PDB file of all heavy atoms in Angstrom:
ATOM      1  N   ASN A  27      14.115  -0.286  -0.889  1.00 87.00           N
ATOM      2  CA  ASN A  27      14.977   0.207  -1.978  1.00 87.00           C
ATOM      3  C   ASN A  27      14.687   1.658  -2.298  1.00 87.00           C
ATOM      4  O   ASN A  27      13.590   2.012  -2.131  1.00 87.00           O
ATOM      5  CB  ASN A  27      14.819  -0.579  -3.262  1.00 87.00           C
ATOM      6  CG  ASN A  27      15.175  -2.000  -3.130  1.00 87.00           C
ATOM      7  OD1 ASN A  27      16.238  -2.335  -2.493  1.00 87.00           O
ATOM      8  ND2 ASN A  27      14.359  -2.960  -3.573  1.00 87.00           N
ATOM      9  N   VAL A  28      15.744   2.299  -2.506  1.00 85.00           N
ATOM     10  CA  VAL A  28      15.650   3.808  -2.908  1.00 85.00           C
ATOM     11  C   VAL A  28      16.317   3.966  -4.221  1.00 85.00           C
ATOM     12  O   VAL A  28      17.503   3.596  -4.395  1.00 85.00           O
ATOM     13  CB  VAL A  28      16.293   4.743  -1.850  1.00 85.00           C
ATOM     14  CG1 VAL A  28      16.188   6.174  -2.299  1.00 85.00           C
ATOM     15  CG2 VAL A  28      15.611   4.531  -0.488  1.00 85.00           C
ATOM     16  N   LYS A  29      15.531   4.387  -5.203  1.00 83.00           N
ATOM     17  CA  LYS A  29      16.098   4.678  -6.533  1.00 83.00           C
ATOM     18  C   LYS A  29      15.971   6.080  -6.813  1.00 83.00           C
ATOM     19  O   LYS A  29      14.912   6.737  -6.504  1.00 83.00           O
ATOM     20  CB  LYS A  29      15.392   3.860  -7.595  1.00 83.00           C
ATOM     21  CG  LYS A  29      15.909   4.073  -8.961  1.00 83.00           C
ATOM     22  CD  LYS A  29      15.134   3.193 -10.022  1.00 83.00           C
ATOM     23  CE  LYS A  29      15.715   3.366 -11.325  1.00 83.00           C
ATOM     24  NZ  LYS A  29      14.920   2.690 -12.312  1.00 83.00           N
ATOM     25  N   SER A  30      17.085   6.851  -7.295  1.00 79.00           N
ATOM     26  CA  SER A  30      17.107   8.245  -7.435  1.00 79.00           C
ATOM     27  C   SER A  30      17.801   8.653  -8.682  1.00 79.00           C
ATOM     28  O   SER A  30      18.715   7.964  -9.095  1.00 79.00           O
ATOM     29  CB  SER A  30      17.681   8.868  -6.146  1.00 79.00           C
ATOM     30  OG  SER A  30      17.862  10.220  -6.327  1.00 79.00           O
ATOM     31  N   SER A  31      17.517   9.839  -9.113  1.00 76.00           N
ATOM     32  CA  SER A  31      18.314  10.394 -10.223  1.00 76.00           C
ATOM     33  C   SER A  31      19.461  11.238  -9.753  1.00 76.00           C
ATOM     34  O   SER A  31      20.369  11.657 -10.448  1.00 76.00           O
ATOM     35  CB  SER A  31      17.430  11.318 -11.070  1.00 76.00           C
ATOM     36  OG  SER A  31      16.901  12.338 -10.285  1.00 76.00           O
ATOM     37  N   GLU A  32      19.652  11.298  -8.346  1.00 76.00           N
ATOM     38  CA  GLU A  32      20.721  12.016  -7.806  1.00 76.00           C
ATOM     39  C   GLU A  32      21.627  11.133  -6.978  1.00 76.00           C
ATOM     40  O   GLU A  32      21.164  10.036  -6.505  1.00 76.00           O
ATOM     41  CB  GLU A  32      20.149  13.110  -6.799  1.00 76.00           C
ATOM     42  CG  GLU A  32      19.306  14.175  -7.449  1.00 76.00           C
ATOM     43  CD  GLU A  32      20.040  15.117  -8.293  1.00 76.00           C
ATOM     44  OE1 GLU A  32      21.221  15.388  -8.021  1.00 76.00           O
ATOM     45  OE2 GLU A  32      19.446  15.651  -9.243  1.00 76.00           O
ATOM     46  N   ASN A  33      22.854  11.466  -6.855  1.00 79.00           N
ATOM     47  CA  ASN A  33      23.762  10.751  -5.857  1.00 79.00           C
ATOM     48  C   ASN A  33      23.729  11.457  -4.547  1.00 79.00           C
ATOM     49  O   ASN A  33      24.334  12.503  -4.382  1.00 79.00           O
ATOM     50  CB  ASN A  33      25.187  10.814  -6.401  1.00 79.00           C
ATOM     51  CG  ASN A  33      25.434   9.835  -7.592  1.00 79.00           C
ATOM     52  OD1 ASN A  33      24.758   8.852  -7.682  1.00 79.00           O
ATOM     53  ND2 ASN A  33      26.284  10.200  -8.507  1.00 79.00           N
ATOM     54  N   PHE A  34      22.925  10.939  -3.679  1.00 84.00           N
ATOM     55  CA  PHE A  34      22.783  11.533  -2.326  1.00 84.00           C
ATOM     56  C   PHE A  34      23.984  11.283  -1.451  1.00 84.00           C
ATOM     57  O   PHE A  34      24.703  10.243  -1.567  1.00 84.00           O
ATOM     58  CB  PHE A  34      21.505  11.012  -1.670  1.00 84.00           C
ATOM     59  CG  PHE A  34      20.275  11.557  -2.320  1.00 84.00           C
ATOM     60  CD1 PHE A  34      19.537  10.881  -3.232  1.00 84.00           C
ATOM     61  CD2 PHE A  34      19.847  12.862  -1.934  1.00 84.00           C
ATOM     62  CE1 PHE A  34      18.364  11.396  -3.806  1.00 84.00           C
ATOM     63  CE2 PHE A  34      18.688  13.422  -2.568  1.00 84.00           C
ATOM     64  CZ  PHE A  34      18.019  12.592  -3.438  1.00 84.00           C
ATOM     65  N   THR A  35      24.204  12.104  -0.528  1.00 87.00           N
ATOM     66  CA  THR A  35      25.396  12.044   0.414  1.00 87.00           C
ATOM     67  C   THR A  35      24.969  11.475   1.776  1.00 87.00           C
ATOM     68  O   THR A  35      25.819  10.915   2.457  1.00 87.00           O
ATOM     69  CB  THR A  35      26.051  13.424   0.614  1.00 87.00           C
ATOM     70  OG1 THR A  35      25.074  14.322   1.084  1.00 87.00           O
ATOM     71  CG2 THR A  35      26.659  13.938  -0.609  1.00 87.00           C
ATOM     72  N   LYS A  36      23.651  11.557   2.119  1.00 90.00           N
ATOM     73  CA  LYS A  36      23.288  11.023   3.483  1.00 90.00           C
ATOM     74  C   LYS A  36      21.780  10.662   3.399  1.00 90.00           C
ATOM     75  O   LYS A  36      20.978  11.278   2.700  1.00 90.00           O
ATOM     76  CB  LYS A  36      23.446  12.046   4.509  1.00 90.00           C
ATOM     77  CG  LYS A  36      23.316  11.544   5.869  1.00 90.00           C
ATOM     78  CD  LYS A  36      23.858  12.652   6.861  1.00 90.00           C
ATOM     79  CE  LYS A  36      23.931  11.952   8.303  1.00 90.00           C
ATOM     80  NZ  LYS A  36      24.443  12.905   9.205  1.00 90.00           N
ATOM     81  N   LEU A  37      21.459   9.544   4.105  1.00 92.00           N
ATOM     82  CA  LEU A  37      20.147   9.075   4.271  1.00 92.00           C
ATOM     83  C   LEU A  37      19.834   9.064   5.736  1.00 92.00           C
ATOM     84  O   LEU A  37      20.647   8.466   6.574  1.00 92.00           O
ATOM     85  CB  LEU A  37      20.072   7.680   3.651  1.00 92.00           C
ATOM     86  CG  LEU A  37      18.663   7.007   3.826  1.00 92.00           C
ATOM     87  CD1 LEU A  37      18.429   6.073   2.539  1.00 92.00           C
ATOM     88  CD2 LEU A  37      18.604   6.161   5.085  1.00 92.00           C
ATOM     89  N   ASN A  38      18.734   9.660   6.192  1.00 96.00           N
ATOM     90  CA  ASN A  38      18.243   9.608   7.567  1.00 96.00           C
ATOM     91  C   ASN A  38      16.889   9.031   7.558  1.00 96.00           C
ATOM     92  O   ASN A  38      16.004   9.297   6.669  1.00 96.00           O
ATOM     93  CB  ASN A  38      18.246  11.002   8.219  1.00 96.00           C
ATOM     94  CG  ASN A  38      19.585  11.638   8.349  1.00 96.00           C
ATOM     95  OD1 ASN A  38      20.475  10.966   8.692  1.00 96.00           O
ATOM     96  ND2 ASN A  38      19.745  12.902   8.009  1.00 96.00           N
ATOM     97  N   LEU A  39      16.597   8.302   8.657  1.00 96.00           N
ATOM     98  CA  LEU A  39      15.340   7.715   8.838  1.00 96.00           C
ATOM     99  C   LEU A  39      14.858   8.057  10.248  1.00 96.00           C
ATOM    100  O   LEU A  39      15.527   7.750  11.229  1.00 96.00           O
ATOM    101  CB  LEU A  39      15.320   6.142   8.732  1.00 96.00           C
ATOM    102  CG  LEU A  39      14.004   5.483   8.626  1.00 96.00           C
ATOM    103  CD1 LEU A  39      13.235   5.852   7.346  1.00 96.00           C
ATOM    104  CD2 LEU A  39      14.296   3.952   8.572  1.00 96.00           C
ATOM    105  N   PHE A  40      13.672   8.681  10.372  1.00 97.00           N
ATOM    106  CA  PHE A  40      13.124   9.093  11.640  1.00 97.00           C
ATOM    107  C   PHE A  40      11.840   8.386  11.978  1.00 97.00           C
ATOM    108  O   PHE A  40      10.999   8.085  11.023  1.00 97.00           O
ATOM    109  CB  PHE A  40      12.742  10.603  11.560  1.00 97.00           C
ATOM    110  CG  PHE A  40      13.927  11.439  11.297  1.00 97.00           C
ATOM    111  CD1 PHE A  40      14.360  11.834   9.946  1.00 97.00           C
ATOM    112  CD2 PHE A  40      14.728  12.019  12.349  1.00 97.00           C
ATOM    113  CE1 PHE A  40      15.411  12.723   9.809  1.00 97.00           C
ATOM    114  CE2 PHE A  40      15.783  12.840  12.174  1.00 97.00           C
ATOM    115  CZ  PHE A  40      16.169  13.129  10.891  1.00 97.00           C
ATOM    116  N   ASN A  41      11.586   8.022  13.207  1.00 96.00           N
ATOM    117  CA  ASN A  41      10.309   7.391  13.575  1.00 96.00           C
ATOM    118  C   ASN A  41       9.289   8.406  13.730  1.00 96.00           C
ATOM    119  O   ASN A  41       9.465   9.628  13.608  1.00 96.00           O
ATOM    120  CB  ASN A  41      10.473   6.459  14.863  1.00 96.00           C
ATOM    121  CG  ASN A  41      10.847   7.308  16.062  1.00 96.00           C
ATOM    122  OD1 ASN A  41      10.672   8.557  16.101  1.00 96.00           O
ATOM    123  ND2 ASN A  41      11.290   6.605  17.116  1.00 96.00           N
ATOM    124  N   ILE A  42       8.074   7.956  14.042  1.00 94.00           N
ATOM    125  CA  ILE A  42       6.942   8.824  14.156  1.00 94.00           C
ATOM    126  C   ILE A  42       7.076   9.910  15.219  1.00 94.00           C
ATOM    127  O   ILE A  42       6.331  10.938  15.179  1.00 94.00           O
ATOM    128  CB  ILE A  42       5.584   7.950  14.340  1.00 94.00           C
ATOM    129  CG1 ILE A  42       4.411   8.744  13.966  1.00 94.00           C
ATOM    130  CG2 ILE A  42       5.515   7.354  15.667  1.00 94.00           C
ATOM    131  CD1 ILE A  42       4.103   9.022  12.602  1.00 94.00           C
ATOM    132  N   HIS A  43       8.004   9.694  16.224  1.00 96.00           N
ATOM    133  CA  HIS A  43       8.183  10.666  17.271  1.00 96.00           C
ATOM    134  C   HIS A  43       9.248  11.660  16.925  1.00 96.00           C
ATOM    135  O   HIS A  43       9.671  12.438  17.747  1.00 96.00           O
ATOM    136  CB  HIS A  43       8.581   9.832  18.545  1.00 96.00           C
ATOM    137  CG  HIS A  43       7.480   8.895  18.932  1.00 96.00           C
ATOM    138  ND1 HIS A  43       6.300   9.237  19.375  1.00 96.00           N
ATOM    139  CD2 HIS A  43       7.487   7.488  18.839  1.00 96.00           C
ATOM    140  CE1 HIS A  43       5.545   8.189  19.652  1.00 96.00           C
ATOM    141  NE2 HIS A  43       6.252   7.034  19.331  1.00 96.00           N
ATOM    142  N   GLY A  44       9.857  11.512  15.692  1.00 96.00           N
ATOM    143  CA  GLY A  44      10.869  12.469  15.270  1.00 96.00           C
ATOM    144  C   GLY A  44      12.276  12.051  15.742  1.00 96.00           C
ATOM    145  O   GLY A  44      13.246  12.781  15.493  1.00 96.00           O
ATOM    146  N   GLN A  45      12.422  10.899  16.317  1.00 97.00           N
ATOM    147  CA  GLN A  45      13.758  10.439  16.759  1.00 97.00           C
ATOM    148  C   GLN A  45      14.491   9.809  15.533  1.00 97.00           C
ATOM    149  O   GLN A  45      13.930   9.000  14.741  1.00 97.00           O
ATOM    150  CB  GLN A  45      13.655   9.339  17.852  1.00 97.00           C
ATOM    151  CG  GLN A  45      12.921   9.847  19.097  1.00 97.00           C
ATOM    152  CD  GLN A  45      12.521   8.754  19.994  1.00 97.00           C
ATOM    153  OE1 GLN A  45      11.950   7.742  19.531  1.00 97.00           O
ATOM    154  NE2 GLN A  45      12.775   8.881  21.272  1.00 97.00           N
ATOM    155  N   LEU A  46      15.755  10.088  15.345  1.00 97.00           N
ATOM    156  CA  LEU A  46      16.579   9.525  14.397  1.00 97.00           C
ATOM    157  C   LEU A  46      16.939   8.105  14.688  1.00 97.00           C
ATOM    158  O   LEU A  46      17.429   7.747  15.764  1.00 97.00           O
ATOM    159  CB  LEU A  46      17.890  10.315  14.202  1.00 97.00           C
ATOM    160  CG  LEU A  46      18.895   9.846  13.197  1.00 97.00           C
ATOM    161  CD1 LEU A  46      18.284  10.053  11.822  1.00 97.00           C
ATOM    162  CD2 LEU A  46      20.203  10.648  13.338  1.00 97.00           C
ATOM    163  N   VAL A  47      16.525   7.160  13.784  1.00 96.00           N
ATOM    164  CA  VAL A  47      16.639   5.683  14.066  1.00 96.00           C
ATOM    165  C   VAL A  47      17.650   5.050  13.230  1.00 96.00           C
ATOM    166  O   VAL A  47      18.198   4.017  13.477  1.00 96.00           O
ATOM    167  CB  VAL A  47      15.345   4.869  14.117  1.00 96.00           C
ATOM    168  CG1 VAL A  47      14.389   5.352  15.112  1.00 96.00           C
ATOM    169  CG2 VAL A  47      14.665   4.981  12.698  1.00 96.00           C
TER     170      VAL A  47
END
Side-chain angles (χ1 to χ4, degrees):
N27 296 317
V28 177
K29 185 177 178 185
S30 172
S31 60
E32 300 289 332
N33 286 329
F34 287 98
T35 56
K36 192 167 189 179
L37 177 148
N38 292 322
L39 191 65
F40 298 90
N41 65 16
I42 196 74
H43 304 289
Q45 298 167 315
L46 180 66
V47 296

